[in-house]
Amino acid sequence: MENQIHLEGIDPLEFFGINNKKIDLIKSFFPKIIITARGNSLHIRGDEKELKNFEKKFSLLLDHYYQFNVLTEDIILQILATGTPALEENGTAEKDIIVFGNNGKPVRARTPNQRVLLEESVKNDLIFAVGPAGTGKTYTAIALAVRALKNREIKKIILSRPAVEAGENLGFLPGDLKEKIDPYLQPLYDALQDMIPPRKLEEFMKDGVIEIAPLAFMRGRTLSNAFVILDEAQNTTINQLKMFLTRMGLNAKFIITGDVTQIDLPKRSNSGLIFAMKLLRNIESISIVQFNTKDIVRHRLVREIVDAYSKYYEEQADKKSEDNNHKNNR
Protein backbone atom coordinates (compact mmCIF):
# COMPACT_ATOMS: atom_id res chain seq x y z
CA MET A 1 0.00 0.00 0.00
CA GLU A 2 1.20 3.52 -0.88
CA ASN A 3 0.29 6.98 0.38
CA GLN A 4 1.48 10.56 0.22
CA ILE A 5 1.60 13.26 2.92
CA HIS A 6 1.87 16.93 1.90
CA LEU A 7 3.75 19.31 4.20
CA GLU A 8 1.59 22.36 3.50
CA GLY A 9 3.21 25.69 4.29
CA ILE A 10 6.17 24.02 6.01
CA ASP A 11 9.84 24.51 5.26
CA PRO A 12 10.97 20.91 4.48
CA LEU A 13 14.14 21.56 6.46
CA GLU A 14 12.02 21.64 9.61
CA PHE A 15 10.97 18.04 9.06
CA PHE A 16 13.86 16.62 7.10
CA GLY A 17 16.64 18.39 8.97
CA ILE A 18 20.16 19.18 7.82
CA ASN A 19 21.51 16.20 5.89
CA ASN A 20 18.08 14.53 6.45
CA LYS A 21 18.93 14.02 10.11
CA LYS A 22 15.35 14.47 11.34
CA ILE A 23 13.69 12.34 8.71
CA ASP A 24 16.26 9.59 9.36
CA LEU A 25 15.28 9.75 13.04
CA ILE A 26 11.61 9.41 12.10
CA LYS A 27 12.43 6.48 9.79
CA SER A 28 14.20 4.67 12.66
CA PHE A 29 10.85 4.37 14.48
CA PHE A 30 9.17 2.73 11.46
CA PRO A 31 11.60 0.11 10.04
CA LYS A 32 8.80 -1.74 8.22
CA ILE A 33 7.82 1.33 6.16
CA ILE A 34 9.65 2.81 3.17
CA ILE A 35 9.65 6.61 3.65
CA THR A 36 10.87 8.86 0.83
CA ALA A 37 11.10 12.65 1.13
CA ARG A 38 10.40 14.51 -2.11
CA GLY A 39 10.13 18.28 -2.09
CA ASN A 40 7.22 19.24 0.16
CA SER A 41 5.81 15.75 0.53
CA LEU A 42 6.51 12.34 2.01
CA HIS A 43 5.87 9.17 0.05
CA ILE A 44 5.22 6.17 2.29
CA ARG A 45 4.87 2.51 1.36
CA GLY A 46 4.16 -0.55 3.47
CA ASP A 47 1.54 -2.66 5.26
CA GLU A 48 -1.83 -0.91 5.74
CA LYS A 49 -1.73 -1.29 9.54
CA GLU A 50 1.83 0.08 9.71
CA LEU A 51 0.91 3.03 7.50
CA LYS A 52 -2.05 3.94 9.70
CA ASN A 53 0.14 3.84 12.79
CA PHE A 54 2.72 6.05 11.05
CA GLU A 55 0.12 8.56 9.87
CA LYS A 56 -1.37 8.81 13.36
CA LYS A 57 1.98 9.57 14.99
CA PHE A 58 3.18 11.79 12.15
CA SER A 59 0.03 13.90 12.53
CA LEU A 60 1.16 14.62 16.11
CA LEU A 61 4.43 15.94 14.73
CA LEU A 62 2.52 18.14 12.29
CA ASP A 63 0.19 19.39 15.04
CA HIS A 64 3.16 20.24 17.22
CA TYR A 65 4.83 22.21 14.45
CA TYR A 66 1.65 24.10 13.55
CA GLN A 67 1.17 24.94 17.24
CA PHE A 68 4.74 25.88 18.18
CA ASN A 69 6.46 26.58 14.83
CA VAL A 70 9.40 24.39 15.81
CA LEU A 71 10.26 20.70 15.71
CA THR A 72 13.46 19.57 17.41
CA GLU A 73 14.95 16.09 17.50
CA ASP A 74 14.09 15.83 21.20
CA ILE A 75 10.44 16.58 20.43
CA ILE A 76 10.41 14.00 17.63
CA LEU A 77 11.82 11.40 20.02
CA GLN A 78 9.29 12.26 22.71
CA ILE A 79 6.24 12.25 20.47
CA LEU A 80 7.12 9.09 18.54
CA ALA A 81 8.24 7.19 21.65
CA THR A 82 5.15 8.03 23.71
CA GLY A 83 2.50 8.66 21.06
CA THR A 84 1.34 11.73 23.03
CA PRO A 85 1.57 15.46 22.23
CA ALA A 86 4.70 17.06 23.68
CA LEU A 87 2.61 19.92 25.06
CA GLU A 88 0.79 17.61 27.46
CA GLU A 89 3.97 15.87 28.53
CA ASN A 90 5.95 19.05 29.16
CA GLY A 91 3.15 20.91 30.90
CA THR A 92 4.10 24.06 29.00
CA ALA A 93 0.54 25.34 28.64
CA GLU A 94 1.02 28.28 31.01
CA LYS A 95 -2.06 30.46 31.32
CA ASP A 96 -0.27 33.62 30.11
CA ILE A 97 0.95 32.02 26.88
CA ILE A 98 -1.30 33.09 24.03
CA VAL A 99 0.45 31.41 21.12
CA PHE A 100 3.85 30.05 20.16
CA GLY A 101 5.67 32.17 17.60
CA ASN A 102 8.53 31.36 15.27
CA ASN A 103 11.14 28.94 16.60
CA GLY A 104 8.71 27.98 19.37
CA LYS A 105 9.06 31.32 21.15
CA PRO A 106 6.02 31.83 23.41
CA VAL A 107 3.99 35.02 22.96
CA ARG A 108 2.72 35.87 26.42
CA ALA A 109 0.34 38.35 27.98
CA ARG A 110 3.10 40.22 29.80
CA THR A 111 1.27 43.02 31.61
CA PRO A 112 -1.87 43.23 33.78
CA ASN A 113 -4.06 44.68 31.04
CA GLN A 114 -2.72 42.35 28.37
CA ARG A 115 -3.95 39.57 30.67
CA VAL A 116 -7.31 41.34 30.98
CA LEU A 117 -7.54 41.47 27.17
CA LEU A 118 -6.74 37.75 27.04
CA GLU A 119 -9.52 36.99 29.57
CA GLU A 120 -12.08 39.32 27.97
CA SER A 121 -11.50 37.78 24.53
CA VAL A 122 -12.77 34.48 25.89
CA LYS A 123 -15.97 36.04 27.25
CA ASN A 124 -16.86 38.75 24.72
CA ASP A 125 -17.13 39.05 20.94
CA LEU A 126 -16.45 42.80 20.71
CA ILE A 127 -13.62 44.43 22.64
CA PHE A 128 -12.21 47.94 22.66
CA ALA A 129 -8.55 47.93 23.72
CA VAL A 130 -7.40 51.50 24.25
CA GLY A 131 -4.35 53.12 25.73
CA PRO A 132 -0.97 54.72 25.02
CA ALA A 133 1.66 53.62 22.51
CA GLY A 134 3.87 50.68 23.38
CA THR A 135 1.40 48.82 25.60
CA GLY A 136 1.09 45.83 23.25
CA LYS A 137 -2.60 46.32 22.45
CA THR A 138 -2.34 45.41 18.79
CA TYR A 139 0.36 42.76 19.24
CA THR A 140 -1.71 40.95 21.88
CA ALA A 141 -4.84 41.19 19.74
CA ILE A 142 -3.02 39.70 16.74
CA ALA A 143 -1.64 36.90 18.93
CA LEU A 144 -5.22 36.11 20.01
CA ALA A 145 -6.30 36.06 16.36
CA VAL A 146 -3.46 33.70 15.37
CA ARG A 147 -4.35 31.40 18.26
CA ALA A 148 -8.00 31.30 17.18
CA LEU A 149 -6.91 30.42 13.64
CA LYS A 150 -4.57 27.67 14.83
CA ASN A 151 -7.32 26.26 17.06
CA ARG A 152 -9.69 26.30 14.06
CA GLU A 153 -12.14 28.50 15.96
CA ILE A 154 -12.34 30.81 12.95
CA LYS A 155 -11.48 30.50 9.26
CA LYS A 156 -9.98 33.91 8.60
CA ILE A 157 -8.03 36.78 10.16
CA ILE A 158 -8.74 40.30 8.92
CA LEU A 159 -6.53 43.19 10.01
CA SER A 160 -7.40 46.74 9.12
CA ARG A 161 -6.46 50.37 9.69
CA PRO A 162 -8.10 53.65 8.68
CA ALA A 163 -6.07 55.35 5.94
CA VAL A 164 -5.55 58.58 7.86
CA GLU A 165 -1.98 59.77 7.63
CA ALA A 166 -0.14 60.96 10.74
CA GLY A 167 0.83 64.33 9.25
CA GLU A 168 1.69 62.78 5.90
CA ASN A 169 -0.06 62.41 2.55
CA LEU A 170 -0.14 58.96 0.96
CA GLY A 171 -1.12 60.50 -2.37
CA PHE A 172 2.38 61.83 -2.91
CA LEU A 173 4.03 58.43 -2.35
CA PRO A 174 5.17 56.54 -5.46
CA GLY A 175 3.50 53.37 -6.73
CA ASP A 176 0.00 51.94 -7.04
CA LEU A 177 -2.55 51.79 -4.22
CA LYS A 178 -1.09 48.61 -2.69
CA GLU A 179 2.43 50.06 -2.72
CA LYS A 180 1.16 53.24 -1.07
CA ILE A 181 -0.83 51.41 1.61
CA ASP A 182 1.56 48.55 2.47
CA PRO A 183 4.08 50.67 4.43
CA TYR A 184 1.19 52.10 6.45
CA LEU A 185 0.06 48.57 7.35
CA GLN A 186 3.62 47.34 8.01
CA PRO A 187 3.24 47.11 11.83
CA LEU A 188 0.53 44.50 11.29
CA TYR A 189 2.78 42.49 8.95
CA ASP A 190 5.60 42.71 11.51
CA ALA A 191 3.47 41.18 14.26
CA LEU A 192 2.31 38.34 12.01
CA GLN A 193 5.90 37.62 10.95
CA ASP A 194 6.79 37.07 14.62
CA MET A 195 4.09 34.44 15.02
CA ILE A 196 3.76 32.57 11.71
CA PRO A 197 6.62 31.02 9.70
CA PRO A 198 7.33 32.96 6.46
CA ARG A 199 6.26 30.17 4.10
CA LYS A 200 2.99 29.58 5.97
CA LEU A 201 2.26 33.31 6.22
CA GLU A 202 2.81 33.72 2.50
CA GLU A 203 0.42 30.84 1.86
CA PHE A 204 -2.21 32.32 4.19
CA MET A 205 -1.96 35.73 2.50
CA LYS A 206 -2.17 34.22 -0.97
CA ASP A 207 -5.23 32.12 -0.08
CA GLY A 208 -6.99 34.98 1.70
CA VAL A 209 -6.90 33.21 5.08
CA ILE A 210 -5.14 36.33 6.40
CA GLU A 211 -6.15 39.66 4.93
CA ILE A 212 -4.64 43.06 5.67
CA ALA A 213 -6.52 45.97 4.17
CA PRO A 214 -7.48 49.61 4.73
CA LEU A 215 -10.76 50.26 6.50
CA ALA A 216 -12.44 51.50 3.31
CA PHE A 217 -12.14 47.97 1.87
CA MET A 218 -14.54 46.68 4.55
CA ARG A 219 -17.56 48.58 3.23
CA GLY A 220 -20.44 46.39 2.04
CA ARG A 221 -18.99 43.16 3.44
CA THR A 222 -20.24 40.73 6.07
CA LEU A 223 -17.34 39.36 8.12
CA SER A 224 -18.27 35.88 9.37
CA ASN A 225 -16.14 33.06 10.84
CA ALA A 226 -13.39 35.63 11.28
CA PHE A 227 -11.21 37.31 13.88
CA VAL A 228 -11.19 40.97 12.88
CA ILE A 229 -8.88 43.64 14.29
CA LEU A 230 -9.19 47.36 13.59
CA ASP A 231 -6.00 49.15 14.58
CA GLU A 232 -5.51 52.92 15.11
CA ALA A 233 -9.28 53.26 15.51
CA GLN A 234 -8.92 56.73 17.06
CA ASN A 235 -8.53 57.93 13.46
CA THR A 236 -11.91 56.64 12.31
CA THR A 237 -14.83 59.04 12.00
CA ILE A 238 -18.09 58.23 13.75
CA ASN A 239 -19.65 56.95 10.52
CA GLN A 240 -16.57 54.92 9.56
CA LEU A 241 -16.50 53.05 12.86
CA LYS A 242 -20.26 52.48 12.71
CA MET A 243 -19.77 51.00 9.23
CA PHE A 244 -16.99 48.73 10.52
CA LEU A 245 -18.89 47.51 13.59
CA THR A 246 -21.94 46.66 11.51
CA ARG A 247 -19.82 44.32 9.31
CA MET A 248 -19.92 41.76 12.15
CA GLY A 249 -21.26 38.41 10.97
CA LEU A 250 -21.84 35.01 12.56
CA ASN A 251 -19.01 33.48 14.60
CA ALA A 252 -16.96 36.69 14.43
CA LYS A 253 -14.80 38.30 17.06
CA PHE A 254 -13.84 41.98 16.78
CA ILE A 255 -11.06 43.81 18.63
CA ILE A 256 -10.74 47.57 18.12
CA THR A 257 -7.49 49.14 19.28
CA GLY A 258 -6.52 52.77 19.55
CA ASP A 259 -4.93 55.61 21.48
CA VAL A 260 -7.23 58.59 22.04
CA THR A 261 -4.22 60.86 22.70
CA GLN A 262 -2.99 60.39 19.11
CA ILE A 263 -5.96 61.47 17.00
CA ASP A 264 -4.93 62.68 13.54
CA LEU A 265 -8.40 63.77 12.43
CA PRO A 266 -8.97 67.53 11.85
CA LYS A 267 -11.32 67.60 14.86
CA ARG A 268 -10.76 65.44 17.92
CA SER A 269 -14.52 65.37 18.57
CA ASN A 270 -15.04 63.51 15.29
CA SER A 271 -13.20 60.40 16.55
CA GLY A 272 -15.44 57.38 16.12
CA LEU A 273 -13.52 55.52 18.84
CA ILE A 274 -14.38 58.02 21.59
CA PHE A 275 -18.00 58.18 20.45
CA ALA A 276 -18.45 54.40 20.18
CA MET A 277 -16.97 53.66 23.61
CA LYS A 278 -19.37 56.12 25.24
CA LEU A 279 -22.36 54.88 23.27
CA LEU A 280 -21.77 51.12 23.55
CA ARG A 281 -20.12 50.66 26.94
CA ASN A 282 -23.26 49.26 28.65
CA ILE A 283 -24.11 46.65 26.00
CA GLU A 284 -23.65 43.04 27.10
CA SER A 285 -20.81 41.13 25.37
CA ILE A 286 -18.99 44.38 24.60
CA SER A 287 -15.91 45.00 26.73
CA ILE A 288 -13.53 47.96 27.12
CA VAL A 289 -9.97 47.25 28.25
CA GLN A 290 -8.14 50.41 29.30
CA PHE A 291 -4.35 50.15 29.02
CA ASN A 292 -2.08 52.59 30.84
CA THR A 293 1.60 53.53 31.14
CA LYS A 294 2.24 50.55 33.46
CA ASP A 295 1.57 48.30 30.44
CA ILE A 296 4.26 49.89 28.25
CA VAL A 297 6.70 47.19 27.17
CA ARG A 298 8.99 49.26 24.95
CA HIS A 299 12.12 51.19 26.02
CA ARG A 300 11.77 52.64 29.54
CA LEU A 301 11.92 56.17 28.04
CA VAL A 302 8.62 55.56 26.21
CA ARG A 303 6.78 55.47 29.54
CA GLU A 304 8.40 58.73 30.63
CA ILE A 305 7.65 60.35 27.27
CA VAL A 306 3.97 59.31 27.43
CA ASP A 307 3.72 60.59 31.02
CA ALA A 308 5.29 63.93 30.05
CA TYR A 309 2.85 64.44 27.19
CA SER A 310 -0.13 63.41 29.34
CA LYS A 311 0.91 65.90 32.03
CA TYR A 312 1.26 68.66 29.42
CA TYR A 313 -2.19 67.96 27.92
CA GLU A 314 -3.78 67.96 31.39
CA GLU A 315 -2.15 71.29 32.23
CA GLN A 316 -3.36 72.78 28.94
CA ALA A 317 -6.90 71.50 29.59
CA ASP A 318 -6.88 73.00 33.10
CA LYS A 319 -5.56 76.31 31.76
CA LYS A 320 -8.27 76.41 29.08
CA SER A 321 -10.93 75.67 31.68
CA GLU A 322 -9.64 78.48 33.92
CA ASP A 323 -9.61 80.92 30.99
CA ASN A 324 -13.21 80.03 30.11
CA ASN A 325 -14.33 80.47 33.72
CA HIS A 326 -12.57 83.83 33.85
CA LYS A 327 -14.37 84.98 30.70
CA ASN A 328 -17.75 83.80 32.00
CA ASN A 329 -17.28 85.68 35.27
CA ARG A 330 -16.65 89.01 33.58
Side-chain angles (χ1 to χ4, degrees), residues 11-294:
D11 185 345
L13 192 63
E14 278 297 329
F15 268 82
F16 303 159
I18 298 172
N19 296 323
N20 288 327
K21 198 171 181 182
K22 292 182 184 178
I23 195 65
D24 286 343
L25 177 60
I26 293 171
K27 287 178 180 179
S28 69
F29 278 86
F30 303 95
K32 296 180 181 180
I33 295 177
I34 298 173
I35 302 171
T36 308
R38 294 176 186 167
N40 274 62
S41 62
L42 284 182
H43 294 258
I44 53 177
R45 192 165 75 246
D47 178 74
E48 182 178 359
K49 185 178 178 181
E50 294 289 338
L51 288 188
K52 284 184 178 179
N53 180 44
F54 172 82
E55 289 171 354
K56 181 180 177 182
K57 289 190 175 181
F58 192 78
S59 69
L60 294 175
L61 297 178
L62 286 173
D63 289 345
H64 186 94
Y65 179 78
Y66 287 136
Q67 183 75 14
F68 301 101
N69 299 321
V70 69
L71 189 69
T72 66
E73 290 177 40
D74 286 342
I75 290 168
I76 292 172
L77 280 168
Q78 184 176 339
I79 290 176
L80 295 184
T82 65
T84 59
L87 175 62
E88 292 178 7
E89 285 290 315
N90 293 335
T92 55
E94 299 173 27
K95 64 178 182 178
D96 288 343
I97 295 177
I98 303 172
V99 72
F100 287 85
N102 290 333
N103 300 316
K105 181 181 178 182
V107 178
R108 286 183 167 88
R110 296 168 56 190
T111 72
N113 285 307
Q114 286 180 14
R115 293 187 189 97
V116 172
L117 180 55
L118 172 57
E119 293 164 4
E120 290 299 311
S121 71
V122 176
K123 297 184 287 185
N124 298 301
D125 290 333
L126 174 58
I127 304 166
F128 292 91
V130 294
T135 50
K137 306 179 298 294
T138 303
Y139 196 85
T140 305
I142 290 175
L144 290 168
V146 171
R147 182 176 74 172
L149 183 65
K150 287 190 172 188
N151 291 343
R152 296 180 175 85
E153 296 166 14
I154 45 95
K155 295 180 179 178
K156 190 170 188 175
I157 294 174
I158 300 172
L159 310 178
S160 185
R161 274 185 162 192
V164 175
E165 308 93 332
E168 300 174 0
N169 193 325
L170 295 177
F172 289 98
L173 293 174
D176 59 20
L177 178 62
K178 185 178 185 302
E179 290 169 332
K180 290 174 189 286
I181 291 295
D182 274 358
Y184 189 71
L185 300 172
Q186 191 60 47
L188 305 179
Y189 288 107
D190 291 343
L192 287 170
Q193 287 166 352
D194 279 354
M195 302 175 203
I196 302 175
R199 186 185 292 266
K200 190 66 179 176
L201 180 57
E202 183 181 351
E203 182 183 294
F204 280 154
M205 300 283 285
K206 182 181 177 182
D207 294 343
V209 175
I210 295 179
E211 178 184 349
I212 304 177
L215 176 60
F217 287 25
M218 300 298 110
R219 190 174 296 279
R221 300 175 61 183
T222 300
L223 307 177
S224 301
N225 297 308
F227 201 119
V228 187
I229 298 169
L230 176 62
D231 192 32
E232 299 287 349
Q234 74 275 5
N235 289 326
T236 60
T237 64
I238 292 172
N239 285 336
Q240 281 176 329
L241 191 49
K242 177 189 174 186
M243 177 276 291
F244 175 77
L245 294 173
T246 54
R247 301 306 93 202
M248 197 173 199
L250 297 175
N251 189 38
K253 193 174 290 286
F254 278 36
I255 296 183
I256 293 93
T257 69
D259 177 1
V260 296
T261 68
Q262 296 194 51
I263 296 172
D264 297 317
L265 296 169
K267 288 186 178 180
R268 177 184 170 86
S269 60
N270 287 340
S271 174
L273 179 60
I274 294 175
F275 181 84
M277 287 195 298
K278 288 179 180 177
L279 185 69
L280 307 176
R281 66 169 56 248
N282 294 321
I283 296 179
E284 190 177 349
S285 294
I286 295 179
S287 173
I288 297 175
V289 180
Q290 185 72 57
F291 287 73
N292 55 53
T293 54
K294 292 180 181 178

